[in-house]
Amino acid sequence: MNKHILEPEVQVFLKEKAAENPQKIALQKSPFPLVSSGELANQLDGHQRSVSKLPTWASTEGIYYPDKINIEQSSSEKTGALKLRLIEANSRLIDLTGGFGVDSYYFSTSCKEVLYCELNEQLAEIVAYNAGILGATNIRFLKADGLGILNEQEDGSLDYIYVDPSRRNKNQRFFLLEECEPDIVGLQDVFFQKAKTVISKVSPLLDISKAISQLKHCKSVTVVSVDGDCKELVFVQERDFSGHVKIQVIALIREQVYELSYPFRQEKEIELSYSEPLNYLYDPDVAVLKAGAFKTIAQQYNIHKLHQHSHLYSSSEWIPDFIGRSFHILDILPFASLKKNNPYPKAHVQSKNFPLKVDEIRKKFKIKDGNEIYLFFTTDKDEKLICIAAKKAIAASE
């Protein structure tokens, strides 16, 4: 951490150049003898990345930004704040994999004490400095391996263990919990000796069912998305818990929070009803799809699925609080009829359980992107290929 970056004249320069391209600054000669152009560029890049992801950090003067990978890998403010739902006030928590400290910061707003652990000494120094600027005074910063710090704690002295494990093989699209570092599967007994509750944040690429089968005393799984992008899965294990696992879907869509909660076992027990497209069409949020709540979403909103594998739903009456996108159906066309006449030469194209991809459909029917019309190419309950023309029913849902 180069503390010369915090000098007033450097901070003024960074503020004046806030909108500049960091790469441009990196290629220019630095006006400050003790701060390189690369360091200036890194601060600008960090600020620009934080404007939408970490607005509190971006709007606070004097924040010091680490390498961009640390910001890329950190939780956003929105997802960090959501985790406060998982803990009780005045508790004691250890964050084994501190990183840029966003989660630790939010936990500190409720906890009595947070132990932040980070092997990267420079990153830990930066996070500790920023915490002071942000007024987080109840975080203990420990520049050491989190597991080593955990082993030093007395048995039962912690309320929560929070861990954000990283994948050993980052080239694989799908991965297993036991391939993560730290190995939260192999360390479960150790964790429960030290704390009552373990909270693990993992990538949405993880298979939820398999993870539930591997994690002892799993109490809940929270699937979080932000504006149509599935961000994280959060598993909560509670020592001696033996009840049914709860699935919590939280979708943040344009500053509004949509939620769906149900027992994990429920999905297999529901018997669905199917129908032809009615007056309204629903496309569930990505968090619903990741949770596998294909039947639960239909039951929750009393809507009908179009086909077992389409994951599109319909109803006669409008559901204004649907967790996803909602559309008013204008037309239902047999796919074969489009070969003779396509009445929608300009539209947004969606392909759901359909043999052709979006690009193939556009090319085949010469459909340009745009307009208020959405064309959903899908398969109906009678295994027929259809095209549903629709307009958005809720402007806030996308």
Side-chain angles (χ1 to χ4, degrees):
M1 179 175 176
N2 184 357
K3 293 185 179 180
H4 293 289
I5 287 173
L6 302 173
E7 293 175 357
E9 58 270 25
V10 180
Q11 290 294 303
V12 169
F13 174 86
L14 291 172
K15 194 171 184 178
E16 291 176 346
K17 302 292 184 179
E20 289 272 2
N21 185 335
Q23 293 182 343
K24 178 182 176 182
I25 298 298
L27 295 174
Q28 297 175 352
K29 182 180 179 180
S30 172
F32 309 104
L34 299 178
V35 181
S36 70
S37 56
E39 288 174 318
L40 292 172
N42 188 71
Q43 292 303 302
L44 289 175
D45 182 79
H47 178 268
Q48 291 171 8
R49 290 175 185 274
S50 298
V51 169
S52 59
K53 185 174 185 177
L54 301 167
T56 297
W57 277 253
S59 62
T60 302
E61 291 190 7
I63 289 293
Y64 193 110
Y65 296 98
D67 292 339
K68 67 178 181 179
I69 189 171
N70 301 127
I71 298 177
E72 290 173 346
Q73 293 178 346
S74 78
S75 295
S76 67
E77 277 196 48
K78 291 178 180 178
T79 59
L82 284 175
K83 295 186 186 76
L84 287 178
R85 298 179 176 204
L86 305 176
I87 65 171
E88 295 182 2
N90 299 316
S91 53
R92 191 165 183 258
L93 178 147
I94 185 170
D95 185 344
L96 297 181
T97 49
F100 191 42
V102 175
D103 290 324
S104 283
Y105 169 78
Y106 277 99
F107 284 134
S108 77
T109 63
S110 178
C111 286
K112 181 179 180 180
E113 182 183 43
V114 173
L115 305 182
Y116 163 100
C117 307
E118 175 57 53
L119 269 173
N120 184 330
E121 291 190 15
Q122 181 172 336
L123 178 59
E125 183 182 4
I126 291 170
V127 176
Y129 163 78
N130 287 339
I133 296 293
L134 296 169
T137 59
N138 58 337
I139 306 176
R140 283 176 55 195
F141 291 93
L142 304 166
K143 303 172 186 177
D145 174 46
L147 294 178
I149 298 298
L150 180 65
N151 287 326
E152 293 175 1
Q153 307 302 306
E154 293 184 11
D155 290 356
S157 62
L158 296 163
D159 297 298
Y160 298 94
I161 292 172
Y162 176 72
V163 58
D164 179 4
S166 59
R167 282 183 288 165
R168 293 194 190 99
N169 187 351
K170 293 181 172 58
N171 293 323
Q172 288 182 236
R173 177 167 174 77
F174 299 102
F175 67 102
L176 304 173
L177 281 179
E178 55 267 33
E179 295 175 344
C180 291
E181 186 64 42
D183 178 5
I184 63 175
V185 176
L187 290 167
Q188 291 180 87
D189 291 339
V190 174
F191 287 169
F192 284 128
Q193 283 180 359
K194 303 297 181 179
K196 180 182 178 181
T197 305
V198 181
I199 303 173
S200 302
K201 184 190 89 171
V202 299
S203 164
L205 297 177
L206 186 72
D207 183 284
I208 293 176
S209 297
K210 184 171 179 59
I212 288 175
S213 70
Q214 292 178 290
L215 296 176
K216 301 175 182 179
H217 312 301
C218 186
K219 186 176 183 179
S220 68
V221 183
T222 302
V223 185
V224 181
S225 71
V226 178
D227 293 329
D229 185 10
C230 197
K231 293 295 186 180
E232 58 192 39
L233 306 179
V234 182
F235 291 80
V236 175
Q237 298 167 263
E238 187 176 287
R239 186 174 58 215
D240 301 327
F241 177 78
S242 59
H244 295 294
V245 180
K246 173 186 174 183
I247 303 294
Q248 179 80 11
V249 176
I250 302 178
L252 285 80
I253 306 173
R254 290 189 174 180
E255 305 304 323
Q256 286 188 286
V257 179
Y258 296 82
E259 299 185 52
L260 178 68
S261 180
Y262 61 97
F264 177 64
R265 61 183 173 83
Q266 172 182 291
E267 181 67 18
K268 293 181 180 179
E269 299 172 354
I270 296 174
E271 291 189 13
L272 275 185
S273 62
Y274 298 89
S275 82
E276 68 279 0
L278 302 171
N279 295 329
Y280 293 92
L281 184 72
Y282 304 95
D283 183 15
D285 184 82
V286 64
V288 175
L289 302 179
K290 175 58 191 180
F294 310 121
K295 299 178 183 178
T296 299
I297 193 76
Q299 183 187 70
Q300 182 85 6
Y301 290 97
N302 192 26
I303 54 182
H304 306 281
K305 215 166 190 282
L306 300 189
H307 185 280
Q308 181 183 359
H309 304 298
S310 292
H311 308 323
L312 289 171
Y313 303 77
S314 191
S315 70
S316 296
E317 302 296 325
W318 179 33
I319 311 295
D321 62 345
F322 182 76
I323 183 169
R325 301 189 302 170
S326 303
F327 300 87
H328 179 228
I329 295 177
L330 304 175
D331 203 359
I332 304 167
L333 305 168
F335 177 63
S337 70
L338 291 176
K339 297 176 182 179
K340 299 178 182 178
N341 176 40
N342 174 25
Y344 303 104
K346 189 175 183 180
H348 302 280
V349 177
Q350 310 280 303
S351 178
K352 306 275 187 178
N353 188 27
F354 197 79
L356 298 179
K357 297 179 181 178
V358 170
D359 289 345
E360 294 173 323
I361 293 170
R362 286 193 178 283
K363 184 176 180 180
K364 184 178 183 67
F365 298 105
K366 299 179 180 178
I367 303 173
K368 294 183 179 180
D369 192 22
N371 209 338
E372 297 180 348
I373 302 296
Y374 283 74
L375 298 179
F376 287 84
F377 289 79
T378 189
T379 305
D380 70 10
K381 65 183 182 67
D382 299 318
E383 302 295 337
K384 295 179 181 177
L385 299 180
I386 60 172
C387 173
I388 302 171
K391 285 187 177 182
K392 284 186 185 178
I394 318 175
S397 67
E398 182 174 63

